[in-house]
Amino acid sequence: MLTGAAAVGAAGVIGTAGVVGFESQGAAATAEAQREPVEITWFGNHAWQFRCGKSVVLTDPWLTRFKTGTFTPEGADPKTKLVIEPDVIDRHLSTADAILVHHGHYDHLSDVPYVAKKTQATVLGTETHVNLLRAMRTPSDLLSPVRGGEYLPFEGFSIEVFPSLHSCSGKRHTYAYPGYRFGVPPRPRVIEDLVEGGTLAYVITIGGLRMLSLSTANFDPNALRGLQVDVVFAAPGGEPGITDRLLQTIKPVRKVIATHWDDFDQPLDRPGVPWTDLAPLRASVERTGAEFILLDHLEKLTL
């Protein structure tokens, strides 16, 4: 099922490239027939929900979207207070089995404590992410520190964890709020308290579908070299060069879904406003022969 912008290049059902590999066409057809539908919902930024049967996986579930000025010429005010709006979260999220934290910035981590307590989901993240979440009163028994290399089977799906990199920009090739927390810090109060803390990538295998989730345009080529998946979630800002390198590093992929492209100071219940031109990302994808998919806020896509 496709709605609105999701119809851009998203017709058909995806195969099981990561599962089938180089098997015969007959075996591939059998695997395709055995696949279960996976419903994907975008909540803006890198907040995604993957649902297959009773299984639900969330990535960086940040729905509160308080104003920061991030995409203005002045940039974000580092002293912007962290805000959590339970009513907004409750309107859209009810259950989850796993929450995947990709890095520790405010637009990825802020709502995780509330969502984790609400759903009792297992939360995966680096040592820094876990320490920040402990400081934000997330129950410790829900937290699972990872660093890359893990294969984690859950009932109904599996998660593979890979080391990754945050995108850099500007003359000095930097990013906001770097740093690590190797102990539990004071409770974060403003956005600069939520440091990057290491960046992770994940492969989610659910319903026979393998999806590579990247929260920024950058990646670790050594970690992902030769990886075989059906779908990649790729962010703009890595053109020219980085997105092309990504799609050359992994094995040919059939579909790429744009992520983290919206100005998250804008409301979630209105159409997404791009913070950058998406044409270069689309061009990088389509040069490889893959389909480029663009969902809007709250849209669903079933693969």
Side-chain angles (χ1 to χ4, degrees):
M1 177 179 68
L2 302 177
T3 59
V8 181
V13 177
I14 296 179
T16 51
V19 177
V20 175
F22 298 102
E23 294 176 359
S24 67
Q25 291 183 352
T30 300
E32 180 95 1
Q34 294 174 344
R35 275 208 52 238
E36 297 180 70
V38 179
E39 181 189 78
I40 302 170
T41 305
W42 188 45
F43 297 111
N45 207 46
H46 194 62
W48 294 90
Q49 176 180 270
F50 304 91
R51 182 185 296 271
C52 180
K54 295 181 179 180
S55 299
V56 176
V57 179
L58 302 175
T59 65
D60 297 349
W62 185 54
L63 282 69
T64 297
R65 297 170 71 93
F66 50 84
K67 287 197 176 289
T68 64
T70 298
F71 299 111
T72 65
E74 297 77 21
D77 177 358
K79 300 301 182 183
T80 301
K81 291 184 179 180
L82 295 170
V83 177
I84 298 175
E85 295 187 5
D87 289 348
V88 174
I89 300 168
D90 292 345
R91 196 177 307 147
H92 301 291
L93 298 180
S94 58
T95 184
D97 301 292
I99 298 170
L100 313 182
V101 175
H102 291 66
H103 64 274
H105 285 155
Y106 58 91
D107 56 319
H108 297 258
L109 199 71
S110 298
D111 285 349
V112 171
Y114 179 83
V115 176
K117 285 184 277 191
K118 174 184 175 69
T119 64
Q120 293 295 291
T122 300
V123 182
L124 306 181
T126 67
E127 181 180 356
T128 293
H129 307 154
V130 166
N131 282 331
L132 289 169
L133 290 168
R134 288 192 179 108
M136 297 168 77
R137 310 299 189 263
T138 311
S140 290
D141 64 330
L142 300 179
L143 301 175
S144 179
V146 293
R147 60 183 183 179
E150 293 90 349
Y151 171 79
L152 306 173
F154 291 80
E155 185 175 353
F157 62 94
S158 65
I159 304 296
E160 296 163 69
V161 189
F162 296 85
S164 194
L165 298 170
H166 196 284
S167 296
C168 297
S169 62
K171 180 179 178 180
R172 305 298 183 188
H173 302 288
T174 59
Y175 56 84
Y177 318 130
Y180 301 88
R181 299 292 181 265
F182 298 116
V184 179
R187 184 167 186 167
R189 301 291 183 182
V190 297
I191 63 174
E192 69 176 350
D193 294 336
L194 291 179
V195 297
E196 179 259 355
T199 296
L200 298 170
Y202 297 90
V203 169
I204 306 159
T205 301
I206 186 170
L209 191 70
R210 283 173 58 80
M211 298 173 285
L212 171 61
S213 176
L214 296 165
S215 65
T216 76
N218 212 350
F219 71 104
D220 182 341
N222 295 318
L224 300 185
R225 185 164 287 115
L227 183 69
Q228 192 165 12
V229 293
D230 301 301
V231 182
V232 173
F233 289 79
E239 312 86 7
I242 295 177
T243 304
D244 295 322
R245 287 178 62 228
L246 167 67
L247 297 176
Q248 293 165 2
T249 297
I250 64 175
K251 292 188 176 181
V253 67
R254 296 172 65 178
K255 296 189 186 291
V256 176
I257 299 177
T259 190
H260 210 328
W261 59 262
D262 60 322
D263 179 347
F264 46 68
D265 277 1
Q266 305 303 314
L268 183 59
D269 59 0
R270 297 180 188 174
V273 177
W275 60 264
T276 188
D277 182 6
L278 296 175
L281 178 62
R282 177 191 292 274
S284 288
V285 170
E286 293 181 344
R287 273 196 297 271
T288 70
E291 294 185 61
F292 179 75
I293 301 173
L294 186 69
L295 274 69
D296 209 337
H297 289 165
L298 307 177
E299 287 199 89
K300 300 179 187 296
L301 166 66
T302 298
L303 300 176

